[in-house]
Amino acid sequence: MKEINSLTINKEEIQLKINAQLGRVQLVDSNRKTREAQKLEDQKKLKKTNSNLNLIENEISHLQLKLTKDKENLAMISTEQTLKNMEKQIADSEEKLGVLEEKGIEELDMIETIEEEISEADNFLSGSLESLTEIEAEVKVTNSEHQISMNKLTKRIELLIEELPKEFSYRYFKTLDSKIKGSIFARIKNEACESCRSGLSKMEIQKVEDQLNLKNCGSCGRIFIPQAAFY
């Protein structure tokens, strides 16, 4: 029973190593997915910004044509009031044109920034894909070795379980099912469980140490092993 427990703990330690290796792959893969999602958002933003820029450029083109026509019409205006109105209209159009041109510049700057971010994302995804491939290959080899060790331990445990008397087998699996952290065995030390420090009566100690009875700790649930059984 002690050997089965020891081998089981070894299996758990190997599984932690396997999980750690898989975690390396998952970390890179997660970072790639995050960057891919950000790239998609940037591409949507770039499309929208380009659309906005096209609208601004169309407005600028339309306004410039209007300004050209209004300035040409100035020479044909005969009344002072109409001239003033046209001059105001031209001034308003020029002011609006200036605002549109500023917006156009802002959109151009935004497009440049987004394109840089997309380019950086492409570089990251390309480089990380290469890293991911290398890590996956390393993890496959390492975890293959770990799995071989796991299989050997599992086989050894199965053989040992077959050798257990029924009472021992029942007690072992019942205790194992309680999901105790660490070893499921404990010794009696200073008239108490060495693991949880729960006290025992002299009669309970005698049954374990002298009569070699199977007994679980009433507090932590571990199986008491007589001092004579430890080696």
Side-chain angles (χ1 to χ4, degrees):
M1 288 178 69
K2 285 170 55 183
E3 186 177 357
I4 290 170
N5 179 70
S6 176
L7 295 175
T8 301
I9 291 175
N10 287 344
K11 280 185 64 177
E12 292 173 353
E13 292 173 349
I14 293 174
Q15 187 61 56
L16 289 175
K17 293 178 181 178
I18 290 174
N19 294 342
Q21 290 295 320
L22 293 175
R24 294 174 61 201
V25 176
Q26 291 168 357
L27 178 61
V28 177
D29 188 53
S30 176
N31 289 339
R32 280 178 51 77
K33 287 179 179 177
T34 299
R35 201 60 179 269
E36 284 175 345
Q38 183 60 54
K39 179 185 172 182
L40 287 175
E41 289 299 315
D42 287 338
Q43 287 173 331
K44 291 178 182 177
K45 192 188 297 183
L46 180 61
K47 184 178 180 180
K48 184 178 179 181
T49 307
N50 275 319
S51 178
N52 291 340
L53 181 60
N54 286 335
L55 291 175
I56 292 172
E57 288 176 340
N58 288 337
E59 285 188 59
I60 289 174
S61 179
H62 176 74
L63 198 55
Q64 285 175 333
L65 288 173
K66 186 177 182 302
L67 272 169
T68 300
K69 185 180 291 186
D70 287 345
K71 289 178 180 179
E72 289 174 350
N73 290 335
L74 277 177
M76 296 182 290
I77 295 175
S78 57
T79 64
E80 184 177 348
Q81 185 60 43
T82 304
L83 181 63
K84 287 181 179 180
N85 291 339
M86 181 59 73
E87 287 175 343
K88 185 178 184 305
Q89 182 174 303
I90 290 172
D92 290 342
S93 294
E94 287 176 339
E95 182 179 354
K96 186 177 180 180
L97 182 62
V99 172
L100 287 172
E101 287 174 342
E102 285 294 326
K103 286 184 179 180
I105 292 172
E106 290 175 3
E107 295 297 321
L108 283 171
D109 289 341
M110 179 66 71
I111 288 171
E112 184 178 351
T113 299
I114 297 172
E115 287 177 339
E116 287 178 0
E117 291 175 353
I118 292 174
S119 177
E120 289 175 1
D122 286 334
N123 291 335
F124 172 82
L125 291 171
S126 176
S128 62
L129 179 59
E130 185 176 343
S131 298
L132 180 61
T133 302
E134 292 175 355
I135 292 173
E136 285 177 333
E138 292 174 7
V139 169
K140 184 177 180 180
V141 172
T142 302
N143 280 356
S144 177
E145 295 172 355
H146 287 325
Q147 193 59 54
I148 291 172
S149 298
M150 286 273 283
N151 294 341
K152 289 180 180 178
L153 290 171
T154 299
K155 185 62 177 178
R156 177 60 181 159
I157 289 171
E158 289 173 352
L159 293 173
L160 288 170
I161 289 174
E162 291 176 3
E163 297 176 12
L164 285 177
K166 288 185 178 179
E167 183 183 358
F168 281 70
S169 178
Y170 172 78
R171 183 66 63 95
Y172 173 79
F173 284 111
K174 185 177 180 181
T175 306
L176 197 63
D177 288 341
S178 62
K179 306 297 182 183
I180 295 173
K181 186 177 181 180
S183 175
I184 64 169
F185 297 110
R187 290 180 296 184
I188 297 173
K189 192 173 182 180
N190 298 326
E191 298 184 347
C193 172
E194 69 172 346
S195 180
C196 69
R197 308 302 180 189
S198 177
L200 287 88
S201 67
K202 292 186 181 298
M203 184 178 295
E204 289 174 319
I205 296 172
Q206 185 179 21
K207 286 182 178 180
V208 173
E209 298 293 358
D210 299 332
Q211 300 175 22
L212 306 181
N213 289 345
L214 283 177
K215 178 177 174 56
N216 292 74
C217 175
S219 179
C220 69
R222 288 177 170 83
I223 300 173
F224 287 121
I225 299 295
Q227 293 288 345
F230 276 89
Y231 52 87

